Amino acid sequence: MEMIKKVGIISIVIFVSGLFVFATTYDSKDKINKQGISTYFPEKLDFAGEETPLKLSDVRERLDRELLININSQASTILNIKRANRAFPVIEPILKKNGIPDDFKYLAVIESGLVNAVSPAGARGVWQFMPETAREKGMEVTDNVDERYHLEKSTEAACSYFLKAKAKFGSWTMAAASYNGGMTGVQKQIDIQKVTNYYDLLLTEETSRYVFRILTLKEIMKNPIKYGFTVLPGEMYEILPTKKIEIDSSITDLAAFAKEQGINYKILKIHNPWLRETKLINDTGKKYQIEIPLKGY
């Protein structure tokens, strides 16, 4: 009899818990619907003014996959939105100056999440340059100075690549795809498959997803509320005002140099990540500009 009572109580608890679970589920679903997720798929989309052919079933499915992944990647998507507030004001004018469509800033988002990332293959920085490619583009890459970590200089180098790729392939979409697949690799597939449109090419898994990831981040970051992301202005990561000090000689102790500027070594490295050691070796008289923040610390 006691056992029957216990079973009865357990059954009631499970039943009531189930009601709460379903209530929560439906409440969450209602909240999601109100935020616009139920109608998340865009009617039109383009990259750099080049229309995405959403009428093609595989294109719709590939875009849908990336949208759903990023809509449900709450933390990383919110971090991208917050970091963009700090990084885009640096990237945008450089793209514009070089005649590169503004949409290419979202390529930087998928490459690195707008931080100085390091890949297993050795690519570094926001734009993820390999050492050889960086040097070809005019960046200094040594144990002491690595300009792949310099946002302005690496963005200039990326622009140089985009212009060359656009001239080769004739479209910005293909130029973006080749940033991942390589000009040689993409051209090889064009020659084999005898088509020149990104959306008609069968490429590697990573390259076939690449432009769709860019399109997805562009769509979500331009319309965050539609996709359930509300980040208040005060929650954004701010770009701090800095002054630039020109240096044309060696600095034997960067920690001491930082203290002379009213900051510490950590802050110096945060604002000048291209300085890779505890000193700056400069035997050639090359001019470097070191950024010193004026507030925020």
Side-chain angles (χ1 to χ4, degrees), residues 80-93:
N80 285 331
I81 293 169
K82 289 185 174 185
R83 290 169 182 160
N85 191 64
R86 179 174 59 202
F88 282 179
V90 177
I91 294 172
E92 289 167 348

Side-chain angles (χ1 to χ4, degrees), residues 169-180:
F169 296 113
S171 92
W172 291 116
T173 305
M174 286 295 289
S178 75
Y179 198 81
N180 177 261

Side-chain angles (χ1 to χ4, degrees), residues 5-24:
K5 284 182 179 180
K6 286 182 179 179
V7 171
I9 291 169
I10 291 170
S11 299
I12 292 169
V13 169
I14 292 172
F15 175 74
V16 172
S17 299
L19 289 178
F20 279 114
V21 168
F22 283 114
T24 302

Side-chain angles (χ1 to χ4, degrees), residues 21-287:
V21 168
F22 283 114
T24 302
T25 302
Y26 285 121
D27 180 64
S28 299
K29 185 177 179 183
D30 183 56
K31 183 180 179 183
I32 288 170
N33 286 339
K34 285 180 180 177
Q35 290 175 331
I37 302 300
S38 61
T39 55
Y40 65 88
F41 203 88
E43 293 183 8
K44 290 178 66 178
L45 208 56
D46 72 89
F47 176 74
E50 299 170 1
E51 187 175 355
T52 306
L54 297 178
K55 63 182 183 296
L56 300 179
S57 61
D58 75 297
V59 169
R60 289 183 66 86
E61 185 172 335
R62 288 155 72 189
L63 179 64
D64 194 35
R65 173 189 181 181
E66 305 305 332
L67 279 168
L68 289 171
I69 288 172
N70 283 278
I71 288 169
N72 289 284
S73 299
Q74 289 279 329
S76 61
T77 303
I78 288 172
L79 283 171
N80 285 331
I81 293 169
K82 289 185 174 185
R83 290 169 182 160
N85 191 64
R86 179 174 59 202
F88 282 179
V90 177
I91 294 172
E92 289 167 348
I94 297 173
L95 294 176
K96 185 176 182 180
K97 181 186 73 173
N98 285 278
I100 307 296
D102 191 65
D103 283 356
F104 275 88
K105 66 191 180 187
Y106 300 105
L107 186 150
V109 179
I110 68 163
E111 278 290 333
S112 62
L114 299 175
V115 296
N116 281 310
V118 179
S119 80
R124 300 189 179 214
V126 167
W127 292 98
Q128 289 289 278
F129 277 102
M130 294 293 287
E132 301 80 8
T133 309
R135 292 188 185 103
E136 287 172 9
K137 299 297 180 186
M139 285 186 280
E140 183 178 348
V141 180
T142 67
D143 291 338
N144 190 237
V145 170
D146 191 339
E147 291 180 334
R148 292 178 294 171
Y149 291 93
H150 194 298
L151 184 54
E152 290 92 337
K153 292 186 178 182
S154 61
T155 302
E156 289 280 2
C159 288
S160 173
Y161 179 93
F162 300 143
L163 289 170
K164 186 176 179 181
K166 171 63 161 58
K168 180 177 179 63
F169 296 113
S171 92
W172 291 116
T173 305
M174 286 295 289
S178 75
Y179 198 81
N180 177 261
M183 289 193 207
T184 302
V186 169
Q187 184 61 54
K188 180 180 178 180
Q189 292 307 314
I190 289 173
D191 295 340
I192 292 170
Q193 299 177 43
K194 298 175 175 56
V195 290
T196 58
N197 190 303
Y198 172 78
Y199 301 104
D200 292 331
L201 280 167
L202 181 63
L203 299 166
T204 64
E205 169 77 3
E206 187 177 354
T207 309
S208 69
R209 292 182 62 186
Y210 195 72
V211 171
F212 288 93
R213 292 174 62 208
I214 298 171
L215 289 167
T216 294
L217 266 298
K218 172 189 172 181
E219 173 67 12
I220 292 174
M221 292 175 74
K222 289 186 77 171
N223 306 285
I225 294 174
K226 173 183 175 182
Y227 294 97
F229 298 99
T230 303
V231 183
L232 299 176
E235 298 172 338
M236 296 288 195
Y237 300 152
E238 62 178 331
I239 183 167
L240 297 175
T242 62
K243 66 178 180 180
K244 293 184 178 180
I245 298 176
E246 191 171 273
I247 300 293
D248 60 4
S249 59
S250 297
I251 301 174
T252 56
D253 187 340
L254 286 174
F257 173 81
K259 287 205 165 195
E260 290 170 4
Q261 303 303 320
I263 56 175
N264 60 36
Y265 180 76
K266 178 195 74 174
I267 296 169
L268 179 71
K269 283 300 192 81
I270 287 173
H271 286 269
N272 302 275
W274 52 274
L275 292 169
R276 302 311 297 164
E277 296 184 324
T278 59
K279 57 187 175 182
L280 172 62
I281 300 170
N282 185 7
D283 298 327
T284 63
K286 181 177 177 178
K287 292 181 179 180

